[in-house]
Amino acid sequence: MPKRNKIIAVYPGSFDPLTNGHLDIIKKASAMFPEIIIAAANNLNKNHCFSLQDRLSMIKEAVKDIKNVKAAAFDGLVADYLARINSFILIRGLRAVSDFEYEFQMALMNRNLNAKIETIFLMPDLDYTFLSSSLVKEIAILGGKTVKFVPPCVEKKLKLLRKR
Ligand code: COA
């Protein structure tokens, strides 16, 4: 493993929007590493509901009280982003076996693109294993309550999606 003065772990995702499940992973990671960067990106396979700027500002607000956590947005490959900021640790959440195949493929491809990258998978608390960004958006659009599933700053934005 490469030597680093300060280990920076990167948690990339589309975070469209950030949920309490993501926050749970962020808190777990922040207890393990000296510095965490939540790196918001566009997933080319998804049509995002919130702009990258909106997603980033929701993340910043949600993590503002966690001292060793910062948020950023990036373009291009996550493997190149890690190289640019001198990081080799990539964090991802694994909710269930169904996440595994996609995550395994991404982890191996990222290592192929940048041999130094190690992907570390963290499991969210059981309460969050059923949660997904798509489900909270659907609940919000159809007028359901999302307060239990997302931080307050995200809840505010989700209310704007409600169908009239
Ligand atoms: N709690 C709740 N939900 C979780 C979760 C957790 N702990 N962990 C994952 N999820 C859910 C999300 O809610 C999201 O749900 P959705 O599919 O309904 O939107 C889904 O799992 C995964 O989303 P997220 O983790 O936000 O991001 P992503 O999988 O869309 O992120 C990137 C993918 C951005 C990391 C990837 O596309 C990327 O690296 N892009 C940059 C370009 C690149 O390098 N491509 C090559 C990659 S090998």
Side-chain angles (χ1 to χ4, degrees):
M1 245 183 220
K3 279 190 182 162
R4 292 285 183 280
N5 290 335
K6 187 174 187 185
I7 293 175
I8 301 171
V10 174
Y11 180 24
S14 45
F15 305 112
D16 186 37
L18 180 91
T19 67
N20 288 341
H22 292 125
L23 259 188
D24 181 56
I25 297 291
I26 292 166
K27 286 176 187 163
K28 289 183 191 329
S30 77
M32 295 170 68
F33 298 100
E35 186 173 341
I36 310 289
I37 298 183
I38 316 302
N42 288 323
N43 180 337
L44 295 184
N45 299 310
K46 290 180 179 172
N47 286 320
H48 296 300
C49 178
F50 295 102
S51 70
L52 188 56
Q53 208 46 50
D54 276 353
R55 284 180 270 143
L56 180 61
S57 53
M58 287 187 268
I59 298 169
K60 281 187 174 165
E61 174 65 24
V63 302
K64 69 176 191 299
D65 294 329
I66 316 177
K67 279 206 175 90
N68 59 338
V69 176
K70 290 180 190 152
F74 72 96
D75 267 337
L77 293 171
V78 69
D80 292 342
Y81 177 69
L82 264 77
R84 279 204 297 282
I85 63 165
N86 210 21
S87 166
F88 63 101
I89 295 185
L90 199 154
I91 306 281
R92 290 287 290 170
L94 263 190
R95 290 164 300 171
V97 178
S98 51
D99 283 343
F100 181 75
E101 208 169 315
Y102 167 66
E103 294 296 340
F104 183 65
Q105 202 179 5
M106 269 209 303
L108 292 185
M109 181 56 83
N110 280 324
R111 186 188 279 163
N112 200 280
L113 295 169
N114 173 347
K116 291 176 187 160
I117 292 180
E118 292 296 341
T119 300
I120 294 182
F121 296 107
L122 297 179
M123 280 184 283
D125 287 350
L126 261 186
D127 287 354
Y128 304 117
T129 49
F130 60 89
L131 198 50
S132 80
S133 302
S134 306
L135 281 180
V136 295
K137 281 180 287 193
E138 185 173 334
I139 294 166
I141 288 168
L142 298 174
K145 287 191 180 145
T146 53
V147 65
K148 280 193 289 186
F149 309 131
V150 294
C153 59
V154 175
E155 164 76 359
K156 253 190 227 165
K157 287 273 186 191
L158 281 171
K159 277 189 179 150
L160 305 175
L161 298 181
R162 182 178 286 210
K163 263 192 179 169
R164 285 156 201 261

